Amino acid sequence: MNKPIVAIVGRPNVGKSTFFNKVLGKRLSIVEDTPGVTRDRIYGEAEWRGIPFILIDTGGIEPGTDDIILAQIREQAEIAIETAHVILFLVDGKEGLTSSDREVASILMRTGKKVVLVVNKVDTGTLPDHFYDFYELGLGEPVAVSAANMLGLGDLLDIVVDNFPSAAEDDEEDDRVKIAVIGKPNVGKSSFINTILGENRLIVSDIPGTTRDSVDSPFLWRGEEYVLIDTAGIRRKSKVTGDIERYSVIRAISAIERSDVCLVMIDATEGVTEQDKKIAGIAHEEGKGIVIVVNKWDLIEKDTHTMDEYRKDIQKELVFISYAPIVFISVLQQQRLDRVMELAKAVSENRAKRIPTGQLNSLIIDATMMRQPPSDKGKRLKIYYAAQIGVKPPLFSFQVNSRELMHFSYSRYLENRIREGFGFEGTSIKFVFREKGEKEDV
Ligand code: GDP
Ligand code: GDP
């Protein structure tokens, strides 16, 4: 099941980023681990009562006149509505109800999304007199918290988790490959989507399980049905003032979360930018299949080496997804668009592939004979047994004598051998190491 998305909205200074950081706690540092990914704190993974979810700080409001700030707050609310399952609307319990709170509330009310009204900065446990004003917003019972002092967060998270879509609403049955086209503005995403759909669109009215994401577009390619995830706002050109980059990353997150394969689209005339790295990094961390698509190749002056050199540059910049295939296309000239689809199909198959335990173990035995496992103070790493225990992305479990002895470089070596042996192009693969006697669940 895809992780539910929770978005925080509210005007500047109500405590959004404080709240965000407290809820994510130290888990954030795990997300920050991917080398080569630059990250500011827009999103993180959290967990409550054992249920993982994604928390987004919509932030992104820059100082301006009241009118400008208001326009930005509206945009922020709309982005939360497009992308989140549950919206946390933060207001300031010290300051009391303001007119821009009313504005936001009226936008949020017009959606089917669950909105929780969170009154922050209630530090003492006693509700201020003006607390009751917040009922006027018509968003139900306000929940009092103090983000700074971590008061009331547990009760709030209970409400959040209770409002997640149930597993039954999730379209587990749907085995169509879902493709998200992600990348910064103007790389050619909507041109690509329109071209693919223009040729292959499938008009369907009532496929079970498609109700929730009714904006997604099914299409037929070589006799099989696929779904293009319509990243909210890609085709509708944003009128945003405010932090455009943040908003485009937020839109990408919700598309990535629902996808099997992400086409990370890069503009050939610009090369890999920081924002590209950020977006690709999220797809990687979420364990999605990835194809790197370099668009506008028609604008590049080429000789016989151009493509190879360009490929090397990309691999250097996006080293954390060196497993992803790269394809050079021109949407404008309809060049290699079928190749993109071939790769997307292959990557989605790789991501779901299962390696039989016998074959895996003989490859691991060979690998440990070719290169001795590391040792420390006379004790050498032993791998007793390996098994693939999950797919999408592939997850491998290794029984070892001591986890401490499994150095990063050796696990990288094993990963490379597994990739050479079994071909997992386009998908990350994950490892867990267990010492004897540890239980099997992950
Ligand atoms: P944002 O602009 O909405 O992201 O707000 P920040 O998280 O940056 O917080 C704005 C200010 O409110 C900072 O000075 C925070 O320290 C303060 N703040 C945040 N949460 C609380 C709280 O629960 N109680 C109090 N008293 N101050 C808070
Ligand atoms: P999006 O913001 O990523 O959805 O990008 P668009 O699809 O709106 O494209 C942005 C601009 O790039 C438009 O002017 C397109 O016509 C242009 N464009 C898209 N694909 C190509 C291409 O393959 N070659 C060239 N030269 N221009 C392209």
Side-chain angles (χ1 to χ4, degrees):
M1 183 174 157
N2 299 331
K3 291 185 208 96
I5 295 176
V6 178
I8 310 167
V9 301
R11 56 197 171 76
N13 275 318
V14 294
K16 292 184 298 301
S17 60
T18 307
F19 178 88
F20 177 79
N21 289 324
K22 294 289 184 187
V23 172
L24 294 182
K26 55 178 180 359
R27 285 191 68 97
L28 204 65
S29 58
I30 298 171
V31 171
E32 279 171 329
D33 259 342
T34 305
V37 182
T38 47
R39 181 174 312 290
D40 49 26
R41 300 184 158 198
I42 297 181
Y43 99 115
E45 281 188 36
E47 200 180 284
W48 187 248
R49 298 196 325 226
I51 303 167
F53 61 93
I54 286 177
L55 187 65
I56 295 175
D57 179 3
T58 56
I61 293 173
E62 287 156 4
T65 62
D66 285 356
D67 278 359
I68 292 175
I69 290 186
L70 200 58
Q72 292 181 43
I73 292 176
R74 282 198 202 106
E75 183 78 20
Q76 188 198 56
E78 274 165 21
I79 281 159
I81 291 166
E82 286 166 8
T83 57
H85 298 96
V86 176
I87 298 170
L88 300 180
F89 175 28
L90 254 69
V91 294
D92 189 323
K94 277 201 161 143
E95 212 179 315
L97 186 59
T98 68
S99 59
S100 60
D101 292 339
R102 285 180 215 273
E103 281 276 342
V104 179
S106 74
I107 299 166
L108 293 178
M109 250 181 13
R110 279 181 255 127
T111 79
K113 295 287 166 75
K114 173 67 185 178
V115 180
V116 185
L117 176 60
V118 183
V119 183
N120 189 32
K121 307 192 188 178
V122 181
D123 296 339
T124 58
T126 343
L127 299 177
D129 288 343
H130 58 240
F131 182 82
Y132 299 94
D133 298 344
F134 290 116
Y135 280 91
E136 278 175 37
L137 294 176
L139 291 169
E141 192 155 351
V143 182
V145 302
S146 168
N149 301 329
M150 297 185 75
L151 294 174
L153 299 186
D155 289 349
L156 173 61
L157 291 173
D158 280 344
I159 298 172
V160 168
V161 166
D162 288 343
N163 281 286
F164 286 159
S166 68
E169 286 168 55
D170 212 59
D171 39 3
E172 295 281 4
E173 308 285 287
D174 188 356
D175 55 9
R176 299 173 300 175
V177 176
K178 296 184 205 62
I179 301 173
V181 188
I182 55 175
K184 59 187 167 50
N186 276 317
V187 292
K189 298 182 295 300
S190 47
S191 307
F192 178 84
I193 291 172
N194 291 335
T195 307
I196 295 279
L197 292 181
E199 289 169 2
N200 310 300
R201 185 191 282 276
L202 191 67
I203 309 291
V204 265
S205 47
D206 270 325
I207 291 184
T210 54
T211 40
R212 207 181 77 214
D213 302 323
S214 52
V215 287
D216 295 346
S217 311
F219 66 99
L220 269 184
W221 183 78
R222 295 188 183 162
E224 268 178 82
E225 203 178 323
Y226 294 79
V227 177
L228 263 176
I229 292 184
D230 195 352
T231 311
I234 280 186
R235 278 186 273 182
R236 160 176 89 73
K237 283 295 168 193
S238 178
K239 46 187 182 315
V240 208
T241 44
D243 190 341
I244 297 176
E245 178 174 318
R246 186 182 200 96
Y247 293 152
S248 69
V249 173
I250 291 173
R251 290 194 162 107
I253 293 169
S254 87
I256 290 167
E257 204 39 55
R258 273 150 53 217
S259 71
D260 299 300
V261 177
C262 293
L263 307 180
V264 175
M265 195 169 276
I266 286 164
D267 188 325
T269 62
E270 292 182 37
V272 176
T273 65
E274 286 305 308
Q275 197 180 353
D276 295 325
K277 286 186 194 174
K278 202 176 288 175
I279 290 173
I282 297 170
H284 165 74
E285 279 159 5
E286 294 303 313
K288 303 301 182 176
I290 299 178
V291 178
I292 300 170
V293 178
V294 183
N295 187 30
K296 308 193 188 178
W297 195 239
D298 56 287
L299 296 178
I300 300 292
E301 267 190 54
K302 302 175 247 317
D303 62 35
T304 44
H305 305 295
T306 314
M307 206 182 271
D308 278 345
E309 281 162 16
Y310 210 106
R311 193 184 295 275
K312 280 189 197 121
D313 283 347
I314 290 178
Q315 272 161 348
K316 204 162 74 193
E317 292 291 331
L318 296 176
V319 66
F320 54 96
I321 48 168
S322 55
Y323 54 77
I326 303 173
V327 58
F328 298 84
I329 71 164
S330 166
V331 176
L332 201 68
Q333 300 182 349
Q334 307 226 356
Q335 231 183 352
R336 282 186 288 274
L337 304 190
D338 271 336
R339 183 69 191 135
V340 176
M341 283 304 302
E342 283 165 8
L343 288 169
K345 179 177 158 68
V347 164
S348 87
E349 286 165 0
N350 290 342
R351 190 165 166 266
K353 188 156 60 181
R354 282 185 191 276
I355 306 304
T357 306
Q359 283 180 34
L360 177 66
N361 281 282
S362 46
L363 179 130
I364 298 297
I365 289 166
D366 277 357
T368 51
M369 288 197 310
M370 297 263 295
R371 187 165 143 188
Q372 241 192 1
S375 67
D376 187 33
K377 300 191 191 84
K379 193 175 169 193
R380 187 167 297 284
L381 173 74
K382 283 200 195 85
I383 300 172
Y384 301 117
Y385 183 72
Q388 184 178 353
I389 57 171
V391 290
K392 298 184 176 181
L395 173 64
F396 294 89
S397 155
F398 295 84
Q399 282 277 328
V400 296
N401 58 340
S402 161
R403 205 177 0 233
E404 253 91 79
L405 293 170
M406 178 58 82
H407 294 160
F408 176 74
S409 62
Y410 202 74
S411 85
R412 176 49 58 89
Y413 163 72
L414 292 177
E415 174 174 344
N416 290 340
R417 295 306 311 270
I418 288 177
R419 286 186 183 282
E420 279 162 28
F422 303 117
F424 280 107
E425 193 183 38
T427 178
S428 59
I429 59 181
K430 307 212 171 194
F431 289 170
V432 285
F433 301 105
R434 293 204 183 92
E435 294 177 7
K436 266 200 164 147
E438 282 180 324
K439 57 183 169 62
E440 277 297 308
D441 59 9
V442 204

